[in-house]
Amino acid sequence: MSGQGRSEMGQGGVPLDRHGLDRRSFMVRTAGGLAAMSLMPAVTMGRSASAQPSGVRVAVIGAGRQGRDILGEFARIPGASVTAVCDMNDRRLASSLRRAAGAEGHASVDDLMNAADTFDAVVVATPTPTHRAIGERAIASGKHVYLECPLAHTVEDCAALASAARSSDAVVAAGLQGRANPVYSLARGFFLSDSVRDCVSMRAQHNRKTSWRLPVRGGQSDAEVNWRLNPEVSTGLAGEWGTQQFDVFHWYTGRYPVAVRGWGSVRLHKDGRSIPDTINCILEFDDGTVLDYAATLANSYEDKYEVFYGTNAAIKLSWSHGWMFKEADAPTQGWEVYANRQQFHNDEGITLIAGATQLAEQGKLKEGVGLPNSSLWYALDDWVGAIGEGGSPATSVDEAARATAVGIAAHRSIMDDARVEVDLSAVS
Amino acid sequence: MGTRFEIVIAGCDADRGDWRAIAEDAMETVAHWHARLTRFERGSFVRWLSEQPAGLAVEVDRDFADLLDVCAQVWRSSGGALDVAGGRFGSILMDPAHSSVTMREPGVVLDFGAVAKGFVIDLITDDLRASGVTSAIVHGGTSTVRAIGGTPSGDAWRVQVGDGADAPIVELRDAALSVSRNDDGAPVSGHVIDHTAGKAASGAPLAAVLGASAAACDAWSTALIVTGTRPHAMDSQITSILPRPAGGWHIQGPGAHAVRLGAEVGAA
């Protein structure tokens, strides 16, 4: 059994997703669906009953905000339970143990690994610069591993983790959440079909008004706690946030940018930091298309989303929701008659609903607007399912290494105020 | 929780990053628990728990178990006036030893609207204290509030309950206060439901509760809207403030000395 979801290539060099869906097969399935009066192609919402593992015992390393969210999601993931939590900060550890009923606490990775018989799988949710050391150790232990993304803070570390993951017989997944998100899978099917046709441009943003600073407690230093603001190890907004979103474009187009030009500055949080709180990047692809990316810690308008502009339609994705905005001269497809729609100023979007056919049959199509779970839940559930099935997770560490390398390049361009060529040779 | 939370940390420089970080961390806690406790979103923990099969013991985290414990205490002491299970709280089996919850019958829907704000305010004020904050006030929707210490000048935080010249003014110092109104005094169409009678609550148009725990105060203020009077079994450490039908206020409990009437304070 391989722990890595190495991408197979479909027709025309477009990588297949884990369900083997490429452009041609999508069109065949759509046509078949129309004959049966389906509304949309089927997308799996979570795991099938046959994929329920008998009980995966999970250790979570890192009990900060992400760790807290992970513990919360595991409470609702069938077939898995958290049996161990590890964090060097006493207060965070005590707090996290209140959230994981029955779990044992460990103050160090050494201590955790000495109790390796109490867990089958490990989630690494520590600060990005520590991912390599902890991730390599977890992979070497033979446990199933879930690595949070960005994968690491250097390309060298990304390559090392990808190499370690390839050598593992266990299921090693990376936390690029778009690939496990049912709405994103559904929208990708449309993107690969004639629904969007030729992609001419791409845009994404992530806006959130927050200082990105964490309180320093429990004897830790500011550099340890606020590593995102430490220029020695931070990958900035482009790395920490952009990596997740850049990967959506890599996954849909099957392409990686060849160069990036970024700009950034501290617009609001003038507390002595050098890591910009507001950035803009242009990512150039080899077919001439560009991805226009913006992120800020100074404004929260419209949160985060990605948009693909095609000659037949635009697709907008916002992690829990997705919409397709059709051009007036685009052909109408049969299922559109039944589709749910939402108005956005002067535009009307067709709501992309995962599991629409089943919901429509039950007369509950509108109830399907928006995903019932977070993207994090789907990513963790996918990993647990892959462990149960002995299959590949939605996101391989190789894919995460490449996406992170793009994020690192974008951050370097911002900090150096120069165009940077994206070199993926070390992670390909 | 469908409302606005505000945190005022006194005696610090607002531009200093660490104080802002402490307040942002508290707001993250609010967002985290909102996502878990809302009954309006399909992915919330509460929705998921309500959908579990009857008879299945479901492990819950200790914070959530504590929340249920507060609800259970007030449910028992109020004779069911507060019921976060829509009149079926008695069908919830809680096992503290295993930190688990079992719904003994199907279709039990949980709604923590009457206690969630206070529960989260307790969590974040405890965190603020642990971070070294000695003077702060936190409120959710202006109806539930908890104070850390007093104001920077050493006075208690003063919070007015309702409006009018005779409205009580509560002096808070390391204490919580919660106020419930029954749809602006229209008890027939009020939003608080008396699950013991299966109709809109009509006990009192307004109830305020003062105590150490914001969660308990929040829960009790709703329960008193239903009962209209202070139940004999109510925790003796909690102070209740209820309007008298003929005018004036009925204030009972150890915190009564911290309550002044508007006219009285004005005269001072």
Side-chain angles (χ1 to χ4, degrees), chain B residues 173-239:
Chain B
R173 190 190 301 274
D174 290 319
L177 170 73
S178 187
V179 182
S180 286
R181 291 183 73 108
N182 202 13
D183 205 15
D184 293 322
V188 174
S189 60
H191 68 281
V192 177
I193 303 297
D194 176 359
H195 293 292
T196 62
K199 61 180 184 179
S202 56
L206 180 149
V209 176
L210 171 63
S213 155
C217 290
D218 201 1
W220 269 115
S221 65
T222 301
L224 292 182
I225 289 285
V226 173
T227 61
T229 57
R230 181 184 175 105
H232 293 299
M234 190 170 180
D235 183 345
S236 62
Q237 294 304 304
I238 289 178
T239 300

Side-chain angles (χ1 to χ4, degrees), chain A residues 2-22:
Chain A
S2 168
Q4 291 301 290
R6 298 181 186 90
S7 296
E8 298 173 64
M9 301 302 281
Q11 303 276 343
V14 176
L16 299 175
D17 66 13
R18 69 189 297 249
H19 306 295
L21 184 67
D22 66 1

Side-chain angles (χ1 to χ4, degrees), chain A residues 65 68-69 72 75-76 91 95 97-102 208-215 217 268-269 271 367-373, chain B residues 15 17-18 20-22 24-26 28-29 32-33 36 42-45 48 58-63 66 98-99 126-128 130-131:
Chain A
R65 285 181 188 168
R68 174 172 68 179
D69 289 345
R76 299 186 301 115
R91 191 157 174 264
S95 178
L97 289 174
R98 290 183 60 78
R99 299 185 181 108
R208 190 163 179 228
K209 191 169 185 181
T210 176
S211 68
W212 235 22
R213 191 177 283 285
L214 295 174
R217 298 164 174 151
L268 173 64
H269 302 289
D271 53 6
E367 291 180 24
V369 176
L371 287 172
N373 298 301
Chain B
D15 291 332
D18 48 353
R20 184 183 176 100
I22 287 167
E24 285 179 351
D25 200 45
E28 289 281 345
T29 299
H32 175 79
W33 279 99
R36 295 196 75 198
R42 286 187 292 158
S44 78
F45 179 73
W48 175 83
V58 179
E59 277 192 359
V60 298
D61 59 272
R62 288 181 206 156
D63 286 331
D66 286 350
H98 297 95
S99 196
D126 288 348
D127 274 349
L128 291 174
S131 297

Side-chain angles (χ1 to χ4, degrees), chain A residues 173-187:
Chain A
L176 291 177
Q177 298 171 10
R179 292 177 187 252
N181 183 310
V183 163
Y184 280 49
S185 290
L186 177 68

Side-chain angles (χ1 to χ4, degrees), chain A residues 312-358:
Chain A
N312 267 354
I315 285 179
K316 180 176 181 179
L317 303 166
S318 67
W319 295 86
S320 59
H321 293 69
W323 303 270
M324 183 161 62
F325 300 86
K326 298 203 64 175
E327 290 298 314
D329 61 351
T332 301
Q333 298 177 40
W335 56 264
E336 291 177 23
V337 176
Y338 306 99
N340 187 68
R341 294 164 194 272
Q342 275 180 268
Q343 196 72 27
F344 295 83
H345 190 48
N346 290 328
D347 295 302
E348 186 178 72
I350 295 173
T351 315
L352 301 178
I353 300 174
T357 303
Q358 297 93 316

